[in-house]
Amino acid sequence: MSTTQSASKISDPTPGGPGSPSPLRVVLARVGVQNVSLLIALILLILVIGAQNPNFFGFRNIVAIGSAITVFGLLAIVQTLVILLGALDISVGSMTGLCSVVGAMVFTATTQSLLGILSAIFVGMLCGLANGLIIVYGRVNPVIATLATLAAFKGLAQIVSGGKSQGYTSSDPVYKALGRGEWFSIPILIYIFVVIAIIVGLVLKYTDIGRNIYAIGGNDTAARLAGININRYIIGVYLAVGAVAGLAGILLTARTGSGQPISGSEGLELEAITAAALGGAALQGGKGTIVGTVLAVVLLGVLSNGLTVLGVNPFWQNVAKGSLLVIAVVIQQRRSGQRAVGLPT
């Protein structure tokens, strides 16, 4: 037997043979340790809550969980894109509130739902463009830039709305279908969330755009030397975040029946970042998947619903979400092997 043949046998063992990986390792490699961990945590959480209250397993309750996660789930998906670049967007919640108010006010003024929807997405894209330009051409850290625009967008929403809910969209058939419509007993909100997740997931996995986003987050210097226009990608991703925030604002308006400057949009940034981090998106950039983010979104939705079903004080939900974010970041730090801040090497 030649040396080449021997090496081939060692590196490519026969499936099921002595040198082949175990089925468990194959499953972990294909699905990912992070996703398997999330699935186990989700199953355990469902079993614990269901054992305390059997109504949790009811079809309508499961549908309610799906509807409740849609708005922050959409923001978590695009937040994952931003984190993959090695950046962050803290302004997504206030951006959603501004888009919700503007879309509802345009609809009220024109009675045209299409104009209201387009105006919300347009305003969202303007907000995203502003974030991208500040970060790229102002050379401002993304956290500081979006922290500033969080306050600015929230202030704009309060100024144009007078700090109150605006418009009434419940009687419009388009908004009514978006907010409460169903197809095969599944809310249309859930279909929208699934479609956006699939599109972004496919772009990340099978296109040059997705591969370049991972490359920029993994090593921006190498990406630049490889000819990738980093500035264009940063502005493009923040534009996409703005467009999806506009869509989230429309769905928020459709669910509540009016434009919401603060109520319903406050705290969405925390939920979006928590879901992305919990789903395995490394805050240093270059690592993460949409599948992981979707699993984390479902986990957070089940947790919130479960606490409500069990009659736990709603204020504890924020405590639980904040704790999950800390746990997710601590796990990331440990797995990355980075030195802990404030401790000797």
Side-chain angles (χ1 to χ4, degrees):
M1 183 183 293
S2 68
T3 307
T4 308
Q5 286 173 320
S6 302
S8 172
K9 272 210 159 190
I10 293 171
S11 61
D12 187 22
T14 306
S20 63
S22 66
L24 179 60
R25 282 184 177 276
V26 173
V27 171
L28 288 175
R30 286 185 179 275
V31 181
V33 176
Q34 182 80 24
N35 294 341
V36 172
S37 303
L38 284 171
L39 276 172
I40 293 172
L42 182 60
I43 292 170
L44 289 176
L45 187 61
I46 289 173
L47 291 176
V48 169
I49 297 172
Q52 300 293 318
N53 189 336
N55 292 329
F56 176 78
F57 293 114
F59 178 74
R60 296 317 303 177
N61 187 54
I62 294 172
V63 167
I65 294 173
S67 299
I69 65 174
T70 301
V71 172
F72 87 84
L74 289 172
L75 298 178
I77 288 170
V78 286
Q79 188 71 253
T80 304
L81 286 179
V82 178
I83 292 177
L84 286 175
L85 279 176
L88 207 62
D89 191 339
I90 305 177
S91 67
V92 287
S94 58
M95 205 187 301
T96 301
L98 178 60
C99 294
S100 172
V101 166
V102 171
M105 292 179 74
V106 170
F107 167 74
T108 304
T110 63
T111 68
Q112 297 293 320
S113 54
L114 181 61
L115 282 179
I117 290 170
L118 290 177
S119 63
I121 293 176
F122 179 69
V123 168
M125 292 181 72
L126 282 181
C127 294
L129 180 64
N131 278 337
L133 293 177
I134 291 170
I135 292 167
V136 170
Y137 295 105
R139 298 182 182 278
V140 180
N141 181 289
V143 175
I144 303 301
T146 54
L147 183 62
T149 53
L150 176 148
F153 297 154
K154 184 183 289 185
L156 279 174
Q158 290 172 323
I159 288 170
V160 297
S161 66
K164 299 178 293 187
S165 301
Q166 291 291 329
Y168 179 73
T169 60
S170 292
S171 58
D172 181 75
V174 175
Y175 278 102
K176 196 174 176 181
L178 288 173
R180 294 188 291 277
E182 294 184 351
W183 193 38
F184 294 109
S185 301
I186 305 294
I188 291 175
L189 288 167
I190 298 177
Y191 288 107
I192 294 173
F193 171 62
V194 172
V195 168
I196 296 295
I198 290 174
I199 291 173
V200 175
L202 291 176
V203 168
L204 280 177
K205 190 163 186 177
Y206 295 108
T207 68
D208 288 341
I209 294 174
R211 284 186 280 273
N212 289 343
I213 288 174
Y214 278 106
I216 293 170
N219 188 329
D220 58 343
T221 303
R224 188 174 64 253
L225 293 175
I228 299 173
N229 190 328
I230 295 177
N231 290 347
R232 185 181 298 172
Y233 272 89
I234 292 174
I235 292 174
V237 166
Y238 276 96
L239 262 175
V241 172
V244 173
L247 176 60
I250 294 163
L251 299 183
L252 180 63
T253 301
R255 284 190 64 193
T256 58
S258 58
Q260 302 293 328
I262 297 177
S263 176
S265 61
E266 200 164 38
L268 286 175
E269 57 278 345
L270 172 64
E271 293 179 322
I273 294 171
T274 301
L278 197 62
L283 297 181
Q284 297 82 8
K287 185 180 176 185
T289 63
I290 295 301
V291 173
T293 299
V294 170
L295 286 173
V297 166
V298 175
L299 181 67
L300 289 173
V302 169
L303 178 66
S304 295
N305 181 271
L307 293 176
T308 304
V309 168
L310 296 179
V312 178
N313 188 324
F315 295 137
W316 282 104
Q317 293 185 17
N318 285 334
V319 176
K321 290 170 186 170
S323 302
L324 283 174
L325 178 57
V326 171
I327 292 169
V329 174
V330 167
I331 292 173
Q332 283 187 14
Q333 288 292 108
R334 295 292 182 187
R335 292 176 66 182
S336 67
Q338 291 189 359
R339 183 177 71 85
V341 175
L343 293 176
T345 55

